[in-house]
Amino acid sequence: FGSNSWNAYVYNGNNTNDALNNYRGFYNHNTLNFNSTSMWAAASNPGTAAGYSGCTVNNDTHIVRYKRRGFTCGYYQIDISGHDDNAQLFINGTQVFVHNGCCDAHSAAWSGFLGASSTVELRWTEGVGDSYGALNFTTVAFPTITPPVTICAGTSTTLTASGAANYNWSTNTTHLVAPYINAPVLVSPPGAPPISTQTYTVQTTDAATSCTVSNSVVVTINPLPATAVTPTTANFCTSGSLDVTASGANTYVWSPMTNIAVTSPSGHT
């Protein structure tokens, strides 16, 4: 494996068991995301790559193994941006993806934690025609978390994280209800200034890589409306009526409704 870069090992033949006994040479590719066509033409062979060290390679019937150890700690999605021909993806020595065929791409071929000692290998087998392989790595916000929410002051909501083995919400505990190590956590604000927002972050640590990642959600806490009723007191005859108006909100519900006729949703009765 290359250390924090890719070593591309090359073999002649396209029968995997036989070809891996026919090692020809290697070259180094030092970017995280790679496309082998930036090193050698697809219609050619990997022995023509810049920096290649080894013996001649067949244009057809060869195998290429891109191998790397060492990644910045994170939760990644790996896309196979292209391959020609058959492709296999290995994470820490375990095959996680295979496609026997040519000339297509595969989004989200794998997702998970990678760290300083993690290994990744993309292997492709060339039959005839062009030959290439390409991977793209994207860091993904993790764990999955509740979308942003809006609540009223004095009410509560539950934030939920999922997908991880452990959770820690303790980076900001304002308004949170303990314990802070559960997948769901309760937000219960006793009150808030107008349009207050709080950002809550959940962390998780992967046991295999010791990598810690986090994801955040914003909770908007709106103030309660300052409602008023006019007049506040009044006298009228038994057979008469009185116009009472509510203000300060968008919609209103009067209670009790006995002998009340609502004449406008804006608050008149």
Side-chain angles (χ1 to χ4, degrees):
F1 289 90
S3 178
N4 297 303
S5 65
W6 299 95
N7 280 351
Y9 300 99
V10 185
Y11 308 79
N12 273 343
N14 62 0
N15 179 296
T16 301
N17 292 331
D18 294 337
L20 295 185
N21 292 320
N22 194 4
Y23 173 68
R24 307 304 289 168
F26 83 102
Y27 63 89
N28 182 264
H29 202 150
N30 61 10
T31 60
L32 174 61
N33 301 322
F34 71 83
N35 188 324
S36 63
T37 59
S38 69
M39 300 293 288
W40 48 279
S44 182
N45 68 75
T48 63
Y52 174 80
S53 176
C55 303
T56 57
V57 181
N58 301 334
N59 269 23
D60 294 322
T61 64
H62 61 249
I63 291 176
V64 183
R65 302 172 71 186
Y66 262 71
K67 303 178 70 174
R68 173 182 175 129
R69 183 190 305 275
F71 298 84
T72 300
C73 259
Y75 191 89
Y76 289 85
Q77 174 180 303
I78 299 180
D79 304 322
I80 299 178
S81 308
H83 66 91
D84 184 355
D85 292 310
N86 303 342
Q88 299 165 287
L89 181 65
F90 298 83
I91 307 295
N92 297 320
T94 300
Q95 181 177 289
V96 297
F97 174 89
V98 61
H99 179 236
N100 294 323
C102 167
C103 317
D104 56 2
H106 307 274
S107 178
W110 179 84
S111 60
F113 284 95
L114 295 174
S117 61
S118 301
T119 64
V120 175
E121 175 186 347
L122 177 67
R123 180 187 305 178
W124 71 92
T125 303
E126 162 62 6
V128 296
D130 288 351
S131 173
Y132 59 85
L135 287 186
N136 187 74
F137 292 74
T138 305
T139 54
V140 178
F142 189 79
T144 304
I145 197 171
T146 304
V149 294
T150 299
I151 61 176
C152 290
T155 64
S156 63
T157 189
T158 299
L159 305 179
T160 301
S162 60
N166 54 77
Y167 306 90
N168 183 354
W169 292 88
S170 63
T171 56
N172 174 20
T173 59
T174 304
H175 301 319
L176 291 188
V177 177
Y180 309 127
I181 57 173
N182 296 332
V185 65
L186 183 65
V187 181
S188 185
I195 315 301
S196 170
T197 62
Q198 290 288 335
T199 299
Y200 297 102
T201 300
V202 59
Q203 294 181 331
T204 185
T205 299
D206 177 56
T209 62
S210 298
C211 293
T212 297
V213 297
S214 63
N215 198 2
S216 298
V217 61
V218 175
V219 176
T220 300
I221 308 167
N222 286 336
L224 296 175
T227 56
V229 176
T230 56
T232 55
T233 60
N235 296 316
F236 60 95
C237 296
T238 303
S239 59
S241 64
L242 177 69
D243 186 34
V244 179
T245 302
S247 60
N250 293 324
T251 59
Y252 305 86
V253 175
W254 294 89
S255 178
M257 288 295 295
T258 306
N259 297 322
I260 289 181
V262 177
T263 58
S264 167
S266 61
H268 292 283
T269 64

